[in-house]
Amino acid sequence: MEEEDWIEERSSVRLRGRTFSGGGVSESRWVDGSEVDSESPPLSMFDDNEAKEGYGSLRRRLVKKPKRVDSFDVEAMEIAGAHGHHPKDISTWHTLALAFQTLGVVYGDMGTSPLYVFSDVFSKVKIESEVDILGALSLVMYTIALLPLVKYVFVVLKANDNGEGGTFALYSLICRYAKVNMLPNRQPADEQISSFRLKLPTPELERALSIKETLERRSSLKTLLLLLVLMGTSMVIGDGILTPAISVMSAVSGLQGAVKGFDTSAVVVFSIVILVALFSIQQFGTSKVGFSFAPALALWFFSLGSIGIYNLVKYDITVIKAVNPAYIYFFFKKNSKDAWSALGGCILCITGAEAMFADLGHFSVPAIQIAFTFVVFPCLLLAYMGQAAYLMKYPESSDRIFYDSVPESLFWPVFVIATLAAMIASQAMISATFSCVKQAMALGCFPRMKIIHTSRKLMGQIYIPVINWFLMIMCVVVVSIFRSTTDIANAYGIAEVGVMLVTTTLVTLVMLLIWQTNLFMALCFPLVFGSIELIYFSAVLSKVLEGGWLPLVFASFFLSVMYIWNYGSVLKYQSEVREKISMDFMLELGSTLGTVRTPGMGLLYNELVHGIPSIFGQFLLSLPAIHSTIVFVCIKYVPIPVVPQEERFLFRRVCPKDYHMFRCIARYGYKDIRKEDHHAFEQLLVQSLENFLRKEAQELALESGLHDMDLDSVSVSSRDYRTRDVPGNEELKVPLMLDTRSEEAETSNSEAASAALPSSIMSSEIDPSLEYELSALREAIDSGFTYFLAHGDVRAKKNSFFLKKLVINYLYAFLRRNCRAGAANMSVPHMNILQVGMTYMV
C-alpha cells in the first residue's frame, strides 16, 4: 500500500511511513495543473480498452478529480466552508435605469452616425434617380437590422462571460472549457469555483470534445487563437481613438455652413477643445458620465425620430418602400463599382455596435437589449428615412444632408444637441477600451497599469489614466493631421469591420465548443454574418491609401505590445517552473532551512502555483535569518469574471510540519476589485490558514481512525480513504464536487463515519500537534508580517536568434521597466518589504 504512490517528480521523501511524491512534472515538460492535480492516477495507468469505451471515456475527459491531503507540489487544498455564489436578481426598475444609462455610454456612437453616413455614401455615388436614394436607404436599414439587432442583440450578447463582454471575455470563456491559455497555471480546483460553470460531458458532446482536444493538442492553434483575440482588442482600442475624432468633427462641421468665416482650421481647433474636455471628465467615472449624458442622448434620439417623421410626412413618405431588399440589387446593378465603394460609407451606420458587447460589463444584457430595441433602432430608422425623403426633393444637398434636413427654426438647438451627442458618442468606445485593457491585463496580455474603480456598486466601471491620456493625445493628432471627416471615415470602417469579424469567429467557436449548438445552425452564423462582414471589409480595404492605413498602424502597434508582453510572461513563467527548488534540497536543509528561524510571518509573492520558487533560495542566501512561518503567496487570475470571497484562497502544506511552510493561492477573476488593504488581506489569509490546519487535522484523524476500524460497518460512497491510492480504483473517477446532491451525500456519509469513530479521533481541539501548530502560527502573527517580493527578469541566451534577443532583451525589458511596480500591483505596504532580483536565461 505505502509503496504504490506514483512518483511524478525526481525526488520523494518518507513521512509517517508513507511515500509522498512531488506532483510537478519533470523539468523537460510544462507544469500543468491537470497533470499533477489529484489522488486519481493518470488515464494511461488504466486499461487502454477501458479508456476508449463510450460515455465513460468522454466523462473522464472533463471530470473534476478529488484532492489529496498533504502531498508535495500537488493541488492546493481548498478551504472548508466554500459555498455557491448566487448574485441577487436585478429589479425591473434597476434594469430600466441601466437601460437609460446605456444611451449615454453605449449608443452615443451609433446614434451620431446620421451626421455623416449619407454624406459619405453619396460622395462615392452621385444621385441620378430614386434608385440611388432608395438603394442606399435599403442598404442602411438592413445593415442595422442584421448586424446590431439580429447578430449582437439576439446572439452575441448571450455569449457573455457571466455578464462580461468583449473579445477577451469570449477568450476567457473558451479558456475555461479548453486549456488554450498560453500561461499554464490552471488548476483543477479552479473548476470548483461556483461561477466556473463547466458542463459534464454526455455522449452528445463528442464534437465539442473533439474540438477541445484539437485546440489543446496543437500549440499553433493556441497561438492563432491568441493572435486573433489580440487583433480584435487592438481594433477596439483603435476605435477608441477614431470614434471621438470623427464624431466631434462631424458635429462641429455643421457650423461651416451656418457661421460665416468658420473654415476648416476653425473646425479643427474647436474639435480639439471639445476632445480635451471630454477626456478630462473621464476620471469622474462611467456612472456619473452616463447619468449626465443619458438625458442629452435621450433628447438626441427623440430629435432624430421627430425630425425623421417630419421629413417623411413633408417631403416623400414613399421612401418607406425601401424595406424591399430588391432596391439593394437595383442599386448595385446601376452603380456597380461605385456602389461597392459606397459600402465603406454605409458601414458607418453601425459604428459603435461592438460597444454593445464590449461595454456589457458596465451594465447588463437586458438593459442593452431594451435600449436598442425600443429606442435606438426605431429612431435611427426614422432618421435615415427622413433624410432619404429630403434627398428625394433636394438631391443636391447630399454633402450636408443632416443639417440641411433640419427645419431652419430648429438648427441651433439641434446643433447644440448634436455636439453634445458627438461628445457622448466618444464615451462608448472610451469605456469599451478601458474594459478591454483591464481584461487583457488580468489575462496576462497587457503591461500592468493603474486602474481606478469609479463605482462602488458596479465593479465593471473603471478608469485607466494612462490609456485615457494616450487616447486623448492620439485623437488630437488624428484631427490635426486628417482635418477631414471623409479620410477619418475611411480609417474608421476598417477598425469597425475588423472587430466584427473577430467577434463572429469567436462566437462561432463558442457555439461549437460550449453551447453545443446544432452544426447546421452553428455554421449558418458565420456564413450569414461573416459573409456580410467580409463584403464590407473588402470595400473598406480599398481605402487603405486614403486613410485606411491608420487603424492598421494602431492595431499593429497594440498587437505587438500585447503579444510581446504575453510572450515574455510565458517564458518567464516557464523559467521559474524549470528552476524551482527540488524537494530533496529542502529536506537536506532541514527544518531550520540552513539558517536561523526567527518569530514572524513571511509572505513570499511569486507566480508559481506548484513547487518552491528559486527566488526563495536567493532570500536564504541573502538574509541572516528567515521567519518561523513562510507562506508562498500566488496572486492568480482565473478565466472567470468574479471569484466569490469565500472561495478566494487555496492552501496546501509545503514540506513536513516542522518546517511551517505553506502555499496560498489567491484567486481573482478579471473583473474582481483588489482594493482591500494589506491588513484586510492579512486577516483573511490568517483566518483561511487556520481553517486549513483544522481541516487537515480532521482529515488525517479520520484517515487514521478508518485504518484502525472495521470498514465494513462504515459507508463511505465517494471517498474510500483506505483504497484511494490503488491504481484502477473506479471510485477515483467520481468528482468530489459534482453538484449539491453529491456534496450532501458525502456530508451524510462523513457524519456516519464520524459517528462510528471514537470521540478522541474527531476532536481536533485536543490534538496536541494541531494546538502546537496553531500556537506557533499565532506567535508568528504577533511578531508581524514581512513581504518578500521577487523581481524576476528574463534575458535571451547568447546563442538565441536576433529577433528573440530584440524582443526579450529590449522590447519586453522596456515594458517591464515602465509598467506598474510589484509593490503597487500586489497591494502590499511600502514598509516591511524585502526585494531580491533574479535573472532567468531563456
Side-chain angles (χ1 to χ4, degrees):
M1 174 64 198
E2 63 201 55
E3 296 295 332
E4 295 185 18
D5 290 348
W6 304 282
I7 301 176
E8 296 182 2
E9 196 168 311
R10 300 175 188 270
S11 61
S12 63
V13 58
R14 288 187 185 278
L15 292 177
R16 295 190 296 276
R18 309 187 76 179
T19 302
F20 289 82
S21 64
V25 292
S26 64
E27 294 185 356
S28 61
R29 294 195 299 158
W30 283 89
V31 167
D32 189 334
S34 63
E35 298 181 69
V36 295
D37 55 305
S38 69
E39 57 192 79
S40 166
L43 288 180
S44 60
M45 300 193 70
F46 294 102
D47 185 79
D48 290 340
N49 295 328
E50 177 188 353
K52 297 179 181 178
E53 288 178 359
Y55 171 71
S57 63
L58 295 181
R59 191 171 185 275
R60 283 194 292 272
R61 280 187 254 181
L62 289 180
V63 75
K64 298 174 186 175
K65 302 176 184 179
K67 302 182 293 291
R68 173 199 295 260
V69 177
D70 195 31
S71 59
F72 288 138
D73 204 20
V74 192
E75 184 52 70
M77 174 178 286
E78 189 163 12
I79 301 165
H83 55 275
H85 176 71
H86 304 288
K88 296 180 179 179
D89 294 332
I90 299 178
S91 65
T92 303
W93 289 111
H94 184 61
T95 299
L96 293 177
L98 285 177
F100 181 70
Q101 281 193 56
T102 62
L103 296 178
V105 176
V106 177
Y107 294 115
D109 190 10
M110 198 180 303
T112 55
S113 60
L115 287 170
Y116 46 78
V117 169
F118 274 158
S119 61
D120 191 89
V121 169
F122 292 117
S123 67
K124 276 86 173 177
V125 176
K126 293 183 179 180
I127 300 177
E128 298 174 349
S129 67
E130 70 171 16
V131 171
D132 299 317
I133 298 174
L134 295 178
L137 176 60
S138 188
L139 265 175
V140 169
M141 292 171 63
Y142 279 98
T143 300
I144 297 175
L146 286 175
L147 294 180
L149 183 63
V150 178
K151 176 187 172 183
Y152 279 92
V153 171
F154 293 112
V155 181
V156 174
L157 286 180
K158 295 181 180 179
N160 66 86
D161 186 12
N162 290 349
E164 188 74 9
T167 51
F168 261 104
L170 288 172
Y171 181 61
S172 70
L173 192 62
I174 295 170
C175 287
R176 286 220 301 278
Y177 284 81
K179 297 171 185 175
V180 295
N181 196 338
M182 301 297 288
L183 196 64
N185 62 353
R186 176 167 167 175
Q187 298 169 280
D190 296 339
E191 300 176 12
Q192 297 174 3
I193 300 174
S194 56
S195 54
F196 211 90
R197 294 182 183 176
L198 279 178
K199 298 178 182 178
L200 284 177
T202 63
E204 289 76 25
L205 301 186
E206 181 66 33
R207 185 189 72 237
L209 289 172
S210 176
I211 296 173
K212 171 183 179 293
E213 291 174 349
T214 302
L215 287 173
E216 293 177 348
R217 186 172 61 252
R218 298 186 180 179
S219 59
S220 58
L221 292 180
K222 294 181 183 180
T223 304
L224 181 63
L225 180 62
L226 177 64
L227 287 174
L228 184 68
V229 172
L230 297 183
M231 177 60 72
T233 305
S234 302
M235 291 288 188
V236 171
I237 299 174
D239 276 353
I241 296 172
L242 297 173
T243 298
I246 190 173
S247 299
V248 172
M249 282 197 72
S250 298
V252 174
S253 62
L255 292 176
Q256 284 185 291
V259 178
K260 189 175 181 179
F262 199 86
D263 57 6
T264 303
S265 299
V267 171
V268 171
V269 173
F270 199 47
S271 298
I272 291 175
V273 172
I274 294 176
L275 287 172
V276 172
L278 172 67
F279 283 100
S280 299
I281 65 174
Q282 292 301 313
Q283 58 187 311
F284 298 109
T286 306
S287 179
K288 295 181 179 64
V289 171
F291 266 122
S292 302
F293 284 170
L297 248 298
L299 183 59
W300 169 251
F301 280 112
F302 175 77
S303 301
L304 288 179
S306 301
I307 295 173
I309 294 174
Y310 171 81
N311 288 332
L312 272 174
V313 174
K314 182 176 180 179
Y315 297 109
D316 194 348
I317 199 171
T318 62
V319 296
I320 295 178
K321 60 186 178 183
V323 295
N324 183 358
Y327 282 101
I328 299 177
Y329 168 75
F330 298 145
F331 181 71
F332 276 94
K333 182 179 180 181
K334 177 180 180 297
N335 298 288
S336 60
K337 185 177 180 181
D338 290 337
W340 175 74
S341 178
L343 287 177
C346 180
I347 194 64
L348 298 178
C349 69
I350 58 171
T351 54
E354 184 64 26
M356 296 168 63
F357 190 46
D359 283 334
L360 184 58
H362 295 248
F363 303 102
S364 66
V365 173
I368 292 179
Q369 291 175 328
I370 290 171
F372 185 83
T373 306
F374 296 103
V375 178
V376 178
F377 182 62
C379 289
L380 286 178
L381 290 187
L382 289 172
Y384 285 115
M385 286 191 289
Q387 291 184 19
Y390 186 86
L391 287 173
M392 294 289 281
K393 190 170 183 179
Y394 303 104
E396 68 279 358
S397 299
S398 59
D399 291 342
R400 298 182 71 255
I401 175 57
F402 176 79
Y403 286 108
D404 285 353
S405 65
V406 175
E408 187 175 350
S409 59
L410 297 177
F411 175 82
W412 286 106
V414 170
F415 171 77
V416 173
I417 299 174
T419 304
L420 290 175
M423 294 178 63
I424 299 166
S426 309
Q427 182 63 48
M429 293 313 301
I430 294 172
S431 301
T433 301
F434 291 159
S435 296
C436 288
V437 171
K438 166 70 164 59
Q439 295 171 13
M441 277 191 281
L443 295 175
C445 295
F446 206 93
R448 298 183 298 269
M449 295 181 180
K450 182 179 181 180
I451 297 176
I452 299 174
H453 297 269
T454 59
S455 174
R456 294 182 179 180
K457 296 180 180 179
L458 295 174
M459 56 187 171
Q461 298 187 356
I462 58 175
Y463 166 69
I464 306 177
V466 174
I467 297 297
N468 182 69
W469 302 123
F470 175 80
L471 293 179
M472 186 195 74
I473 293 172
M474 289 296 101
C475 281
V476 171
V477 170
V478 168
V479 171
S480 303
I481 292 177
F482 282 88
R483 303 172 66 87
S484 168
T485 57
T486 302
D487 289 339
I488 299 178
N490 293 334
Y492 198 14
I494 292 180
E496 187 68 28
V497 182
V499 176
M500 289 185 176
L501 283 170
V502 171
T503 300
T504 299
T505 305
L506 295 178
V507 171
T508 302
L509 187 57
V510 168
M511 286 180 170
L512 294 172
L513 179 65
I514 302 171
W515 292 354
Q516 290 94 45
T517 307
N518 178 273
L519 185 61
F520 175 76
M521 296 298 295
L523 292 180
C524 281
F525 181 78
L527 285 177
V528 174
F529 298 109
S531 300
I532 296 173
E533 290 158 1
L534 283 174
I535 292 173
Y536 277 117
F537 194 62
S538 65
V540 296
L541 275 181
S542 64
K543 310 298 180 185
V544 169
L545 299 179
E546 302 172 21
W549 55 269
L550 187 64
L552 298 179
V553 171
F554 284 144
S556 300
F557 172 74
F558 284 106
L559 176 64
S560 300
V561 169
M562 289 190 285
Y563 187 76
I564 288 171
W565 182 263
N566 180 265
Y567 176 69
S569 299
V570 170
L571 287 181
K572 180 175 176 290
Y573 188 88
Q574 184 180 13
S575 300
E576 291 178 348
V577 170
R578 184 176 60 250
E579 299 185 20
K580 62 184 179 181
I581 298 176
S582 69
M583 200 56 62
D584 281 341
F585 179 74
M586 294 299 297
L587 295 171
E588 289 176 4
L589 291 177
S591 60
T592 62
L593 299 178
T595 183
V596 179
R597 303 294 292 270
T598 60
M601 174 80 76
L603 303 181
L604 193 153
Y605 282 76
N606 68 106
E607 297 180 4
L608 288 184
V609 295
H610 299 281
I612 300 174
S614 56
I615 201 73
F616 183 61
Q618 296 295 318
F619 280 110
L620 292 178
L621 292 174
S622 304
L623 300 177
I626 201 70
H627 295 73
S628 58
T629 300
I630 299 293
V631 180
F632 298 102
V633 180
C634 173
I635 305 294
K636 185 178 82 167
Y637 284 91
V638 291
I640 57 176
V642 177
V643 176
Q645 185 70 28
E646 64 273 9
E647 302 177 51
R648 176 82 65 215
F649 294 103
L650 291 175
F651 273 91
R652 64 165 291 268
R653 186 182 295 279
V654 180
C655 299
K657 281 190 174 183
D658 55 343
Y659 279 61
H660 301 293
M661 295 171 62
F662 306 91
R663 176 181 317 286
C664 170
I665 299 177
R667 303 175 296 182
Y668 291 85
Y670 54 80
K671 276 183 63 179
D672 272 326
I673 304 174
R674 288 193 58 220
K675 62 181 182 182
E676 68 265 6
D677 58 20
H678 64 279
H679 293 297
F681 184 83
E682 291 169 2
Q683 185 177 0
L684 286 172
L685 186 144
V686 169
Q687 181 182 357
S688 302
L689 180 55
E690 290 180 350
N691 292 339
F692 165 78
L693 293 175
R694 290 191 174 93
K695 180 178 179 180
E696 179 194 46
Q698 291 175 357
E699 294 272 357
L700 294 176
L702 180 61
E703 183 176 2
S704 300
L706 287 174
H707 275 290
D708 296 335
M709 295 178 59
D710 182 8
L711 296 183
D712 294 336
S713 63
V714 181
S715 173
V716 181
S717 63
S718 67
R719 203 186 295 186
D720 190 332
Y721 292 93
R722 190 170 185 177
T723 61
R724 66 180 184 177
D725 291 328
V726 178
N729 186 346
E730 290 302 318
E731 293 297 328
L732 295 178
K733 296 190 287 289
V734 179
L736 279 183
M737 300 179 69
L738 270 179
D739 51 32
T740 305
R741 289 172 295 180
S742 64
E743 290 179 2
E744 292 174 351
E746 181 180 340
T747 302
S748 62
N749 291 329
S750 299
E751 290 174 353
S754 301
L757 290 172
S759 59
S760 60
I761 294 177
M762 295 307 298
S763 177
S764 62
E765 288 78 3
I766 62 174
D767 183 354
S769 174
L770 175 60
E771 284 299 318
Y772 169 75
E773 196 154 22
L774 289 176
S775 63
L777 177 61
R778 295 188 188 101
E779 181 184 359
I781 295 170
D782 293 338
S783 300
F785 288 80
T786 299
Y787 292 83
F788 298 92
L789 297 184
H791 285 293
D793 198 6
V794 290
R795 302 284 294 177
K797 296 178 181 177
K798 291 184 178 181
N799 58 351
S800 300
F801 292 111
F802 170 77
L803 183 60
K804 184 177 182 180
K805 290 181 180 179
L806 175 66
V807 169
I808 297 298
N809 296 349
Y810 297 98
L811 301 180
Y812 178 69
F814 174 80
L815 293 177
R816 281 189 62 85
R817 285 195 304 268
N818 291 277
C819 71
R820 204 173 187 212
N825 190 61
M826 298 292 183
S827 300
V828 300
H830 293 286
M831 299 178 64
N832 301 330
I833 292 181
L834 293 175
Q835 302 186 35
V836 171
M838 187 170 182
T839 300
Y840 301 100
M841 303 303 295
V842 296

